[in-house]
Every structure is written in C-alpha cells, then in structure tokens.
Amino acid sequence: MIAAMDLLAAMRVYVRVVERGSLSAAARDLGLGQPAVSERIEKLEAHLGARLLRRSTRSLSMTDAGAAFYERSRQALAAVAEAVAAVGQDDRPLRGALRIAAPHGVGEVLLPPILLRLRALHPDLEIDLVLNDRFVDPVTEGVDVSLRLGDGGEGGFVAKPLGHVRRQLVAAPDYIARHGAPTVPAALADHPFVRVSGLFASGRLPLVAPDGKSATAPVRIVMSLGHWRPVHALLLGGAGIGVLQAPVCDADLAAGRLVPLLPGHTVPGFDLHALYPTAPHVPPKVRMFLGLLGDQLPGLL
C-alpha cells in the first residue's frame, strides 16, 4: 500500500506523465530520473489494482481507468493546492515553476514588462516561457497558461479573453518616396509584399473598408520569413509593404520610421486568449498571473 503523502506524490507524477505524453518529458519536468518515474507509475497501478497506461516503445496512452483517474487526480491536486494557499494567506511569495506558452510577437513584446512585474512580486517563482506560433493546448502539452491568438478553441481548458491585437499595413517612408503609396486596395498588387510565413497564403489580404464591409485585395508576395523580426527589419529597410502586429510597430509609426497605408482600411486583428486547464480550483500561481495579464495588457494593446 502507498501512504497518503506518497499517493499524492505519485498522482502528481502520473498527471505530469499524461500531460507531457512521455515518461522522459515528465521526468525532466519533475527533476527525476526516468526509471524513478516508471517505478512510481508501476507502484501506483499496483496500489490501485488497475492498469492506467498502455506503453510501447513509441507511444503512451491512457486506459479507460487511467483517463478517469487522471481527471480525478487533477481535481484532487488542484484542491490540495487551494487548501495550502488558503492556509498561507499571508502574502508570502509564490514558489515553484510557472510554465507559459505564447506566440512570438506577444511573448517578445507584450510579456517582458509583465514578467518583470511578476518577478518583483514573486522572486522565488521560476518562470518557463516557451515561444511558438502554433496552437498549444495546455492540457496535452503540460503548461500552466497558454496565450493564443485567434479562436480560443475547444478542449479540457478555459479560454479567458484578454483583449484584441491589432494589425497594421505599413511601409517605410523611403520606400514610399521611391515607389509611391497605394491609394486603393487593388493597387497593393503593384508593390512587393513581405510576410510572415503562412500568412496570406492565398495571395489575398483581408481588409475592412471604411464603411465596415469586409473585402480582400491581391498582394504580390516576394519574401516569406519564419519570424516577425526579419519582416520588421526588411520593412524598415524599404524592401516593400507588409503587415505587422500593432504592438511591434506602434513605436515605429509614432517615430515616423514606418507609415500606415490605405488610411481608413484596416487589416483584421486577432483576439488574444489565455488558456488554462479546467479544474474546480485555479492554482494560485495561475490566478495571480491571469490577474497581472488583466491589469497590464490593456495598456500594452
């Protein structure tokens, strides 16, 4: 039999294995060796008298009993965390790790001042920030909070709206001086268009006209880059026209290093959501971070 405290520890290991999808990834997160993780799972299965995981050399999946135990374990661990937090309501700094996933633009421009504030409030909290532009499900990928642009999606998580990220069609003054500025949407195709890879793949740019109607305009894509920073640099250097998220170009627009194109028309932006696993009680570290996002993001957006 497993003692009560050891059972909670085994449940934490099991939940992390399920969320990370492998024993080795869970072992890295928990600071354990893979054999120790495997041993704890085996002892847990023996204690419960049920097989929780199907394991092969290439994959790992839950049995029906394992899926049921995973959901109850997550709820139980969240309740334990909430109980501990309730006892310690003396404003002691939070400890442990907060794992965050975010898109590149949001993570590189909007999050740093928020993370500075977070560090000032909770210097013992370890922050693990992973940046990528794909959809990250916090349940399956083992993060505490996932910031995502666009539709919040569906799954075993809460999608909390945080605001709207605007986008701006821009060019450098030097480029405009040499080639002129497009005055109507159809004229965009006369100018070289620089983009982040994957965007506007159809060769058409979505626009909202001054009367509020949606339309598209053709663009002539000449360069596709995997990150917003080289796109930003090329546009500043006069390589052509392109679209940037407002947070990464507002300072350039204010300083005159970039100018907006097609005044009155707008490029639709993205809604920003914070995704976090569904649970009866939100862990204090997640609740605190969501509060900081809600307080500080509106001024940054």
Side-chain angles (χ1 to χ4, degrees), residues 250-283:
D250 277 345
D252 298 304
L253 291 168
R257 293 186 294 268
L258 291 172
V259 295
L261 301 178
L262 294 183
H265 290 78
T266 58
V267 180
F270 301 109
D271 291 328
L272 178 63
H273 293 86
L275 314 182
Y276 54 96
T278 303
H281 305 284
V282 179

Side-chain angles (χ1 to χ4, degrees), residues 90-267:
D90 58 358
D91 295 326
R92 286 179 297 180
L94 295 173
R95 299 178 184 273
L98 177 67
R99 299 176 178 85
I100 307 164
H104 283 283
V106 171
E108 294 174 38
V109 178
L110 297 179
L111 282 189
I114 297 175
L115 296 182
L116 284 172
R117 177 62 176 160
L118 178 57
R119 285 284 300 154
L121 292 172
H122 303 281
D124 294 325
L125 188 64
E126 178 187 343
I127 301 166
D128 183 3
L129 175 62
V130 178
L131 300 181
N132 57 60
D133 290 322
R134 61 184 177 81
F135 183 87
V136 173
D137 183 330
V139 175
T140 60
E141 303 213 22
V143 298
D144 297 301
V145 181
S146 174
L147 302 184
R148 292 298 114 189
L149 294 170
D151 187 357
E154 296 181 356
F157 52 80
V158 177
K160 176 183 174 63
L162 294 174
H164 187 76
V165 177
R166 297 172 293 111
R167 293 195 290 178
Q168 181 70 58
L169 178 65
V170 297
D174 177 66
Y175 176 84
I176 298 301
R178 288 184 287 115
H179 302 284
T183 56
V184 295
L188 295 180
D190 298 329
H191 298 264
F193 190 88
V194 183
R195 66 164 186 170
V196 174
S197 299
L199 296 181
F200 321 119
S202 65
R204 301 194 68 85
L205 179 69
L207 292 170
V208 178
D211 61 4
K213 293 182 179 179
S214 297
T216 62
V219 290
R220 180 166 55 89
I221 297 169
V222 297
M223 280 189 278
S224 299
L225 302 108
H227 194 283
W228 69 267
R229 284 194 183 277
V231 173
H232 178 248
L234 285 163
L235 293 176
L236 284 173
I241 66 174
V243 172
L244 293 169
Q245 292 176 17
V248 309
C249 69
D250 277 345
D252 298 304
L253 291 168
R257 293 186 294 268
L258 291 172
V259 295
L261 301 178
L262 294 183
H265 290 78
T266 58
V267 180

